[in-house]
Structures are given as structure tokens and as C-alpha cells.
Amino acid sequence: MDTEAVRTFVRASELGQLGHAADELGVTQQAVSKRIAALERVLGVRLFTRTARGVELTLDGQAFLPHARNIVTGVDRAVTAVRPDSRALRIDVL
């Protein structure tokens, strides 16, 4: 499962519009649509219903959202844990 697709799903669900999610993520709206479509194919369910005002979560989307948030949080924590600039400074005194 592509974690960027999961991140895209979370932002789109929070913002309710694929265009706003694209702007925040620094990608095109087409890229957002493709990521979500790929995620829907992997999961085998529809996550959003497209409306005139944007997107709304389906029941499956509502069920997946809390788990998707946990995935994004876990990935962010894992990346932070291995970044050298995020580690505490260690000074040895002789």
C-alpha cells in the first residue's frame, strides 16, 4: 500500500475537496485522483462519493479513515526517528 496515497486520502477527507488537497500536498488534482483511485483498487472499495461541492466519505471511507490517520502518524514518527537532525544532541565530557 502506497503511504502517499493514504496521506492523500486523509487530507482529501479532511478538506472535502481534491483540489484543496492537491494544493496542500503540492501535486496536481489529477495526481490526487489517481492516488485515491489506486488506493481504492488496492482496498477493493470506494472511499469517496464525488459531489458537486467536492467529495464525501462513503461508509467504507469512514471506516478506513481512523486507520489511515494511524498509518500516516506511524510513518511520520518512523521517518522522524531515523533522521539525524531529529535526534537529541549528545555531548561527551572528558
Side-chain angles (χ1 to χ4, degrees):
M1 183 176 298
D2 179 11
T3 58
E4 284 307 307
V6 175
R7 183 181 308 276
T8 301
F9 163 73
V10 170
R11 289 308 297 148
S13 65
E14 292 170 347
L15 298 172
Q17 292 192 352
L18 300 184
H20 293 318
D23 291 342
E24 280 202 8
L25 296 169
V27 297
T28 65
Q29 185 171 341
Q30 182 180 13
V32 169
S33 293
K34 285 183 177 183
R35 287 179 183 177
I36 290 172
L39 184 59
E40 289 175 333
R41 275 192 305 276
V42 168
L43 296 173
V45 297
R46 300 284 300 166
L47 297 171
F48 289 112
T49 300
R50 274 73 173 173
T51 67
R53 294 177 292 150
V55 292
E56 294 178 1
L57 290 171
T58 63
L59 290 177
D60 291 320
Q62 292 172 21
F64 183 62
L65 182 58
H67 303 286
R69 284 185 173 135
N70 288 337
I71 291 168
V72 170
T73 300
V75 167
D76 290 344
R77 286 182 181 161
V79 170
T80 299
V82 297
R83 282 202 174 131
D85 59 333
S86 66
R87 295 183 191 148
L89 178 62
R90 178 180 168 183
I91 300 173
D92 292 328
V93 178
L94 300 175

